[in-house]
Amino acid sequence: MTTRTERGAATDRAPMWKFFVYSAVGVLMFFVPVTLGGRSTIPLDHVVSWLREAVPAVLPWYALALILAGAVQPWVTGSWRRSTTDLVFSVARVVGLVVGVMLVLGIGPAWLFADGMGPFLLNSLVIPVGLLVPIGAIFLALLTGYGLMEFIGVLARPVMRPVFRTPGRSAIDAVASFVGSYSLALLITNRVYLEGKYSRREAMVVATGFSTVSATFMIVVANALDLMQHWSLYFWSTLLITFLVTAVTVRIPPLGRMPDATAPGVEARPERDVEGSRLAAAWGEARHTVAADPGIGRVVGSTFVDGVKMAMAILPSILSIGLLGLVLAEYTPLFDWLGYLFYPITWALQIPEPLLVAKAAALGVSEMFLPAALVAGSAMSVKYVVGVVCVSQVIFFSAMVPSLVGTQIPVSIPRLLLIWFERVCLSLVIAIPVGLLLF
C-alpha cells in the first residue's frame, strides 16, 4: 500500500517537462491560429482540411462506416433501454444511417439533394466533425492529461466559481469552444465529467453555456452578414454577451435547480481549497497530475477511443435530427410561429424589422447558419443582432444537440429547449441595445 509520504515523494520527482512540452503542443493545436496557404486557423483545423483535400473520395465512406457503427451500437449494447430519450435517439441513429447511405450512394428524393439539405449536412458537418473529433481527441490528451487544466483551474477559480458556478478548470472548456469547436469542447466536458471533476449540473452549465460554435464558424457568419469589416467588435462583443447570458442562466431554472451529482459509479473529485499562494497551489496540482501519468500511450489511446465513440454517436444524429430541422425550416411555417415567442422583445426594443429578427432568432434552433441567410439583406443593426444571437444561443439541433447526446452527460430535450429559449431571450435583450448603439 502506498503511503502519503511515498506519494509526496513521487510528486516531488514528477518530470515536469511533460507539463511544459505536452501542454504547449496541446495549446498550439487548439488555441494558436496559424496561417497556411493564405488561411488562418488553428493547426488542428489545418490537419482536418489537409485530409479532406488529400483523400476526398474516401471520406464519405469513412463517415458512413462511423455512422453504421454508431447506429448499431445502442442496439448491441442495450443502451437504448436506459430511458425514453435514449430510445428516441437510438431510433434517430438508424434513420441517420438510412440518410447517410442515400447520400453516399446518390439515391433518394430530389429534395434530399437540394442545396442546404443533405449535401450541406454531409460535407459541411458530418465529414468535418467525423475527422475533427477523433483527431482532436489525440491532442486533447496533451491538453487535459498533464496538469494544464489543474493549473489553470486553480488560477481561474476566483472568476469561474462566483460568476458561472463552475470549477476553475472549466475555463479551458470555455476557451476551447470559441477557438476550437463545440464538439471538441463537449469531448473535454464529457471526459472531465466521467473523471468526477464536474458534477452533472456543472457539466450541463459548461455544455450549454460555453460549447458554442468556434471563431472559425463565426468568420463564416460574419462574411455572410458583411460584418468582417467589424470583425474584432463582433467577435469580442459576442463572446462577452454569450458569457453574460451564461452567468444569468446558471442562476435560474432549469440549470439553477439541477443536482450536483457525479456520473454513476464515479467518485467526486472537486477542486480543493487553496491555502497560501494561489500560484504555488496551481503548480502543486499540476505536479500531482504529472506524477500520476500512466504513460503517453495510455493517455492518448484512451482519449482517442473516447473520440471515436463520440463521433459514432454524433454523426448519425446529425443526419437525422439535423435534416429534420432543415426540412421543418424550409417546408413548414413552424419557425414563423416560433418567431412570435420573441416578437414582443424585438418590438419593444425597437429593432428594425422586429418580426424578421424574431423569426431568425427562432430559426437558429434548427441550424445556426440559417438566421444569417434570412437577414443577409437587412440593416446592419439587424445583421449584427442576428449574428450575435445565433452564436450566443449555443443550442442548435443540426449538430450541437447530437454532439451533446453523444456524451454520457444525461440530457433532457425539453430542458434543453427551455435553456435555448432563455438564452435567446437574454441574448436579444442584451444584443439589441448594443446593436442599435453601434450601428
Side-chain angles (χ1 to χ4, degrees):
M1 183 176 178
T2 305
T3 66
R4 181 175 298 180
T5 302
E6 289 171 334
R7 288 196 298 270
T11 300
D12 292 339
R13 295 192 302 269
M16 293 307 291
W17 65 267
K18 294 182 179 181
F19 169 77
F20 291 105
V21 174
Y22 293 156
S23 297
V25 173
V27 168
L28 173 66
M29 295 301 295
F30 281 91
F31 300 133
V32 181
V34 175
T35 301
L36 292 175
R39 180 168 175 262
S40 178
T41 186
I42 57 173
L44 183 58
D45 193 34
H46 281 302
V47 172
V48 171
S49 298
W50 175 80
L51 279 173
R52 294 188 69 184
E53 294 170 1
V55 287
V58 174
L59 295 182
W61 297 100
Y62 159 78
L64 189 59
L66 286 177
I67 291 168
L68 173 61
V72 170
Q73 185 263 342
W75 306 99
V76 172
T77 62
S79 62
W80 63 273
R81 298 189 184 95
R82 290 184 304 201
S83 67
T84 303
T85 300
D86 284 298
L87 174 59
V88 170
F89 277 95
S90 296
V91 173
R93 290 194 197 187
V94 176
V95 174
L97 173 60
V98 174
V99 174
V101 169
M102 288 194 292
L103 289 173
V104 172
L105 296 182
I107 57 175
W111 63 263
L112 180 62
F113 294 90
D115 291 339
M117 287 291 177
F120 164 75
L121 290 173
L122 181 64
N123 298 316
S124 298
L125 292 175
V126 169
I127 290 176
V129 170
L131 291 171
L132 193 62
V133 172
I135 296 172
I138 295 172
F139 298 101
L140 178 64
L142 307 181
L143 193 66
T144 63
Y146 290 93
L148 182 64
M149 285 196 78
E150 287 72 19
F151 184 82
I152 297 296
V154 174
L155 298 181
R157 196 179 312 163
V159 174
M160 301 305 292
R161 179 58 71 183
V163 176
F164 302 111
R165 298 179 65 199
T166 58
R169 57 174 68 100
S170 62
I172 292 288
D173 267 0
V175 176
S177 61
F178 259 90
V179 182
S181 163
Y182 57 86
S183 56
L184 292 173
L186 287 170
L187 185 62
I188 296 174
T189 305
N190 186 55
R191 185 161 187 83
V192 176
Y193 169 67
L194 294 179
E195 290 173 350
K197 296 177 181 178
Y198 285 159
S199 68
R200 178 183 175 186
R201 181 191 60 78
E202 290 166 347
M204 280 298 293
V205 168
V206 173
T208 62
F210 301 133
S211 301
T212 187
V213 294
S214 67
T216 306
F217 280 84
M218 288 176 68
I219 291 173
V220 177
V221 173
N223 275 318
L225 295 174
D226 296 322
L227 288 170
M228 281 307 295
Q229 57 189 317
H230 309 289
W231 167 248
S232 294
L233 174 65
Y234 170 62
F235 175 82
W236 290 109
S237 62
T238 300
L239 184 148
L240 179 60
I241 289 170
T242 300
F243 286 5
L244 281 174
V245 169
T246 300
V248 176
T249 57
V250 300
R251 289 168 168 80
I252 59 178
L255 287 176
R257 293 184 179 175
M258 288 188 67
D260 272 314
T262 54
V266 176
E267 182 181 354
R269 296 170 63 187
E271 292 177 330
R272 291 178 287 186
D273 293 333
V274 173
E275 297 179 2
S277 167
R278 186 167 293 277
L279 185 61
W283 182 246
E285 289 289 335
R287 291 183 70 94
H288 180 74
T289 301
V290 173
D293 173 34
I296 185 70
R298 286 188 180 181
V299 174
V300 170
S302 175
T303 54
F304 177 71
V305 170
D306 287 346
V308 171
K309 288 180 179 178
M310 187 171 179
M312 287 164 46
I314 295 170
L315 301 192
S317 298
I318 288 176
L319 286 181
S320 55
I321 298 168
L323 182 62
L324 176 62
L326 295 179
V327 168
L328 290 174
E330 181 69 23
Y331 298 109
T332 75
L334 175 63
F335 293 103
D336 293 320
W337 300 337
L338 285 178
Y340 285 103
L341 293 174
F342 306 112
Y343 180 64
I345 298 174
T346 57
W347 173 81
L349 294 177
Q350 299 185 327
I351 186 76
E353 302 181 272
L355 188 57
L356 182 68
V357 174
K359 180 184 176 182
L363 192 57
V365 74
S366 61
E367 162 53 43
M368 64 84 52
F369 287 126
L370 296 180
L374 192 65
V375 301
S378 299
M380 188 60 74
S381 59
V382 169
K383 292 193 284 189
Y384 170 80
V385 168
V386 171
V388 170
V389 173
C390 71
V391 174
S392 62
Q393 68 174 22
V394 176
I395 298 166
F396 57 99
F397 275 75
S398 68
M400 185 276 176
V401 172
S403 298
L404 179 55
V405 172
T407 69
Q408 277 74 54
I409 303 168
V411 176
S412 163
I413 299 303
R415 187 177 290 130
L416 278 181
L417 288 172
L418 178 55
I419 295 170
W420 166 78
F421 176 75
E422 292 172 347
R423 293 195 66 89
V424 172
C425 289
L426 291 167
S427 298
L428 288 170
V429 168
I430 300 171
I432 289 176
V434 173
L436 292 175
L437 179 65
L438 294 176
F439 301 101

